[in-house]
Amino acid sequence: MKELPSALRSLLARQDGVASRGQLLEHGVTKAAIRWNSGRAWRVLLPTVYLLDRAAPSERQRQVAALLWAGPHAVLGGATAARLHGITAADPGGTVQVDVPPPFASRRRGFAEARRSLLIDHRSVRIGPLRACSAARAAVDAAFRAPTEDDREAILIEVIQKGLADLDDVAEWVFRLRPRDSARLHDALAAAASGAWSVPEAALLDLVGTSTTLPPPWANPGLTTVSGKSLVTPDAWFDDVALAVMVHSHRHHARGEQWDATVEKDGDLVAAGVVVVGVTPGRIARDPAGVLARIEAAHVVARARPRPPVIATRRHLRSA
């Protein structure tokens, strides 16, 4: 076809080369031209939504297409929006999830899924050509649809620990759900509120909480020596005796040389006089009683020696 009008070229530049049938008509492209180019020069991504190219679409182009298909009030939602906000634990699979308000209906075409929602999100954001719900809502929706409890906890923990949303905002979205739906996320919300940085850490804090002899632990406090040197942050800390419990996990902490450095930092705690107990996620899952017995025994040993002058600062979750 002939050269595209400048206004259409500007629109395509903003929308990563994707346009709806309505937009093309508004910019002077005829119905005949649309029919001729569809499947030839252009790729049809969704009903009445086109990529004005034959290249395979990028993920962002698929997201733009889903928004155009779903309508002007649609926003990316669920795991799609969660990933866009940086929540890596959320997995949209091959689906682009969008939220639409009434009177639009839930529907699915190809890779796009539109979900009708009565809940209004006043903190929706624009990211380039994309519209997305807030990080708090995205995390809650993604967690609700996640297949396992570990997945649900991982998503809510990550959105809090990365500072993408306040705990109060996440809790509000949980409690805006219908009671039977909200109940599905109560344990995951509690894990996020515990201050844990990962699912294994949440499992550790839950396990320690069952002890009849240990005091309540602090989750991820800041530690410094009296000289002001910062020490590695323990996953669980018993301030009365300066006892640190560290969850050593390749998946949740580091890889390769970074993993070695993570483990070696335990030596800094030992040098400062801290008693350190190292545990693994697998051991917590397979032998929780044995792990708890080790921590309780270490607490007895730590209590028998003078407490080293290590200064611990409780970590508070950010609130609005």
Side-chain angles (χ1 to χ4, degrees), residues 175-195:
F175 299 136
R176 287 182 71 178
L177 299 174
R178 293 175 295 185
R180 68 174 181 270
D181 293 340
S182 175
R184 179 177 170 87
L185 296 178
H186 286 177
D187 288 346
L189 181 61
S194 73

Side-chain angles (χ1 to χ4, degrees):
M1 64 177 293
K2 63 181 181 180
E3 185 178 355
L4 299 175
S6 60
L8 179 56
R9 291 200 303 272
S10 297
L11 175 72
L12 293 172
R14 295 194 301 272
Q15 296 182 173
D16 288 13
V18 180
S20 69
R21 176 183 173 86
Q23 289 175 329
L24 293 171
L25 293 173
E26 288 175 7
H27 286 80
V29 181
T30 66
K31 293 178 182 180
I34 294 174
R35 284 195 302 270
W36 194 92
N37 283 282
S38 298
R40 291 186 175 91
W42 303 345
R43 185 181 290 273
V44 183
L45 299 181
L46 288 168
T48 71
V49 181
Y50 310 91
L51 171 61
L52 273 67
D53 197 333
R54 289 302 302 168
S58 67
E59 184 61 24
R60 193 164 91 154
Q61 286 172 327
R62 293 167 78 245
Q63 292 168 354
V64 171
L67 290 171
L68 292 173
W69 163 76
H73 301 294
V75 296
L76 297 175
T80 300
R83 271 296 181 95
L84 192 64
H85 283 291
I87 303 171
T88 59
D91 182 13
T95 302
V96 177
Q97 300 166 7
V98 296
D99 295 334
V100 294
F104 299 99
S106 297
R107 61 198 191 281
R108 180 163 188 162
R109 296 290 186 276
F111 58 77
E113 179 184 12
R115 189 188 62 165
R116 180 176 181 266
S117 176
L118 299 174
L119 301 178
I120 299 174
D121 185 356
H122 295 291
R123 296 189 178 180
S124 295
V125 298
R126 283 190 172 272
I127 304 173
L130 305 175
R131 300 182 303 275
C133 68
S134 65
R137 179 176 188 174
V140 169
D141 287 350
F144 177 76
R145 301 174 74 177
T148 70
E149 183 61 31
D150 278 358
D151 293 329
R152 292 190 282 274
E153 288 188 6
I155 291 168
L156 295 194
I157 286 171
E158 186 175 357
V159 73
I160 297 299
Q161 297 307 334
K162 285 187 172 179
L164 300 172
D166 297 323
L167 178 61
D168 291 342
D169 289 339
V170 173
E172 180 180 12
W173 278 106
V174 170
F175 299 136
R176 287 182 71 178
L177 299 174
R178 293 175 295 185
R180 68 174 181 270
D181 293 340
S182 175
R184 179 177 170 87
L185 296 178
H186 286 177
D187 288 346
L189 181 61
S194 73
W197 285 357
S198 68
V199 171
E201 291 177 24
L204 170 66
L205 295 174
D206 286 344
L207 175 62
V208 169
T210 66
S211 174
T212 59
T213 62
L214 294 172
W218 297 6
N220 299 294
L223 298 184
T224 59
T225 64
V226 289
S227 64
K229 177 185 176 181
S230 295
L231 299 173
V232 64
T233 297
D235 301 313
W237 173 257
F238 296 93
D239 194 58
D240 59 329
V241 297
L243 167 66
V245 184
M246 309 293 289
V247 181
H248 292 312
S249 167
H250 281 280
R251 175 183 176 188
H252 294 281
H253 282 174
R255 296 179 181 177
E257 293 181 359
Q258 291 180 336
W259 159 256
D260 294 336
T262 297
V263 176
E264 288 170 2
K265 285 182 179 179
D266 288 1
D268 292 341
L269 293 175
V270 173
V274 174
V275 173
V276 179
V277 179
V279 299
T280 65
R283 183 63 67 183
I284 294 172
R286 292 191 303 271
D287 184 22
V291 170
L292 184 60
R294 282 183 58 212
I295 297 171
E296 289 174 337
H299 190 268
V300 171
V301 170
R303 190 171 55 213
R305 77 3 174 165
R307 186 192 185 286
V310 174
I311 302 167
T313 304
R314 280 185 181 272
R315 184 174 175 276
H316 298 287
L317 298 179
R318 188 167 60 93
S319 288

